Amino acid sequence: MLILSMSMLLLCMFIYSCTTDPEITNWYNEDEYAAGGATTLYEATSGAFSTPAPNLSATAFEKHMAGDVSFESIFVTAPATNNAGLGPIFNDVSCVSCHTLDGRGDKPSVFRVSIPGTDAHGGPNPAPGFGGQLQDKAVFGVLPEGKVDINYVEEFYKYPDGSSYSLLRPVYAISDTYISLPPGTMLSVRAAPPVFGLGLLEAITEADILAAADEFDLNGDGISGKVNYVWDVVSATAKIGRFGWKANQPHLDQQTAGAFSGDMGITSTLFPTESAYGQIQDDGMGDDPEIDFEFLDITSFYTKTLAVPAPRGLEKPNVMLGKQLFFEIGCENCHRQKWTTGIATGIPELSNQTIYPYTDMLLHDMGPGLADNRPDYLASGSEWKTRPLWGIGLTAVANGHTRFLHDARARNLEEAILWHGGEAEKATTAFKNLSAGERAALIAFLEAL
């Protein structure tokens, strides 16, 4: 009986210490469950990334559903009654082919190429004969531009505590090109990122993004945070880059039209020229644009109005500990937790929302390990835009895999962290120096988002 009483006392002491430790309990914020503000979806299923925002009006919902159809449309070779215009060269046949269930792809699907120098607007200098993107597929009777061979080398390391981990280092090579590659051709390999919550990120004001930037690290924290200025084809001016792995697109209309053009060879009102123009693959049909403004608009609207999945289990002790460590070792310096959106023109459902995306919308030097060595406007060959972390813990459920980073090289969240270098080197070193339990807690926090 004495032994049982002592056991009960120790159990009560343990529970008391876990539930009253102010350093732990203060890391729980109930408001953060509404990660996407009023657009938040409280459902952790395979549809977590592909559900319309619950606060859409009837009219907006109808437009969203029309965009859903266009996002999943499979394009075919002209002439055809529906969805004609594929190619003549392309990387895939639909938006959803790469953005699996509106989430991230598990392998590279886009291969950007350029040569040294810049185009007329400061962007990447297209490779003669290939343009700005290598299309590895073509319609019947047409030569694809080439292909990218990918091999992985597994490298083995140890944490300071002696436990082991390994990383897959990709090795890329362009082969089977229809003509010789120009000298100095640079290659950037990219996987498709998730498309939910993008309208909220577009609604963050320029003033707020600029206020978060610290390009010359004037505060001395070792983190720069740089804005990319890119060419806006609509206004014909330079604008802040918000989308794409290097923040090389100013808004979702251009991001969407650029993907139609580069990925599928579909011309639009924004990009009316065939991606193969001037090459032997160009059909010279002069039937462009192949999608009208309405089709482009509803497809872009779809990506603006998808719901953001809510976090799960934020009140769990290990998740709170992981969040505390996430902040203390400096991850939040780039993965900024919270923003308030401004006015989203034409979409009041996205306006004035408090959101928790965990991105600062800025470029950061991620070190030589992740560098593609290909500049993109003001982004250097080692700079990448901080990716949002909301919903990242549902990748396995919604997309059926756990591949992360710009080229999907990381097999899980732990590897994704360990690839961080450059400005993130200090935080990565701190992560390595945590105990195994603390590292697991930090990953548990990410999995809760």
Side-chain angles (χ1 to χ4, degrees), residues 233-411:
V233 299
V234 177
S235 65
T237 60
K239 293 285 184 64
I240 287 179
R242 295 170 179 265
F243 302 104
W245 286 101
K246 294 208 173 209
N248 65 348
Q249 294 289 1
H251 47 74
L252 289 169
D253 292 346
Q254 186 165 317
Q255 170 73 39
T256 305
F260 272 121
S261 173
D263 301 353
M264 290 183 273
I266 305 294
T267 55
S268 65
T269 51
L270 265 61
F271 295 106
T273 304
E274 287 281 1
S275 58
Y277 179 74
Q279 301 178 197
I280 64 171
Q281 295 94 341
D282 187 13
D283 58 15
M285 296 291 289
D287 54 352
D288 307 312
E290 292 156 332
I291 56 172
D292 59 20
F293 174 79
E294 181 183 3
F295 194 97
L296 177 62
D297 181 49
I298 61 173
T299 309
S300 176
F301 186 83
Y302 176 72
T303 67
K304 296 176 184 177
T305 51
L306 284 164
V308 173
R312 301 144 313 282
L314 295 177
E315 70 282 4
K316 292 181 179 179
N318 65 327
V319 172
M320 287 190 286
L321 174 60
K323 181 180 179 182
Q324 179 180 355
L325 293 166
F326 182 89
F327 277 70
E328 289 182 349
I329 70 173
C331 305
E332 206 266 347
N333 289 340
C334 301
H335 288 284
R336 171 173 164 165
Q337 179 190 32
K338 182 179 176 182
W339 293 87
T340 299
T341 63
I343 301 299
T345 304
I347 315 178
E349 294 90 341
L350 305 180
S351 301
N352 303 312
Q353 299 295 313
T354 298
I355 60 176
Y356 297 83
Y358 285 91
T359 173
D360 62 2
M361 303 289 289
L362 300 171
L363 297 170
H364 294 277
D365 180 359
M366 297 303 294
L370 288 177
D372 63 358
N373 300 309
R374 177 182 178 271
D376 202 333
Y377 290 97
L378 300 183
S380 73
S382 61
E383 288 178 323
W384 301 92
K385 181 194 146 192
T386 307
R387 304 308 304 174
L389 298 180
W390 52 13
I392 198 167
L394 288 171
T395 303
V397 173
N399 295 153
H401 68 87
T402 56
R403 302 301 290 248
F404 301 105
L405 297 177
H406 67 278
D407 53 4
R409 71 177 66 182
R411 292 168 291 187

Side-chain angles (χ1 to χ4, degrees), residues 65-269:
M65 296 310 292
D68 191 358
V69 173
S70 66
F71 198 81
E72 295 186 10
S73 295
I74 296 175
F75 282 83
V76 297
T77 309
T81 304
N82 295 316
N83 306 327
L86 179 69
I89 50 176
F90 59 96
N91 294 113
D92 222 315
V93 297
S94 69
C95 304
V96 76
S97 296
C98 299
H99 299 281
T100 310
L101 291 174
D102 303 317
R104 52 175 43 83
D106 63 352
K107 59 183 179 299
S109 55
V110 168
F111 313 106
R112 298 285 169 81
V113 291
S114 57
I115 60 174
T118 61
D119 68 6
H121 305 299
N125 198 14
F130 295 87
Q133 185 165 319
L134 184 92
Q135 281 86 14
D136 59 351
K137 299 179 180 65
V139 300
F140 179 74
V142 174
L143 290 173
E145 291 183 315
K147 66 177 185 178
V148 175
D149 302 314
I150 307 175
N151 290 294
Y152 294 95
V153 178
E154 186 166 16
E155 300 175 348
F156 297 89
Y157 303 93
K158 286 186 179 295
Y159 285 107
D161 65 9
S163 55
S164 302
Y165 67 91
S166 66
L167 301 173
L168 291 184
R169 184 178 297 278
V171 180
Y172 303 117
I174 299 175
S175 66
D176 295 343
T177 55
Y178 79 104
I179 58 174
S180 298
L181 282 170
T185 298
M186 296 175 284
L187 171 69
S188 183
V189 175
R190 304 175 187 185
V195 296
F196 64 83
L198 299 185
L200 293 166
L201 300 181
E202 190 172 62
I204 296 173
T205 69
E206 285 193 8
D208 284 348
I209 294 174
L210 290 171
D214 183 21
E215 180 175 351
F216 303 105
D217 192 21
L218 298 180
N219 64 6
D221 66 353
I223 306 296
S224 62
K226 180 172 129 184
V227 169
N228 200 1
Y229 282 96
V230 304
W231 188 248
D232 176 9
V233 299
V234 177
S235 65
T237 60
K239 293 285 184 64
I240 287 179
R242 295 170 179 265
F243 302 104
W245 286 101
K246 294 208 173 209
N248 65 348
Q249 294 289 1
H251 47 74
L252 289 169
D253 292 346
Q254 186 165 317
Q255 170 73 39
T256 305
F260 272 121
S261 173
D263 301 353
M264 290 183 273
I266 305 294
T267 55
S268 65
T269 51

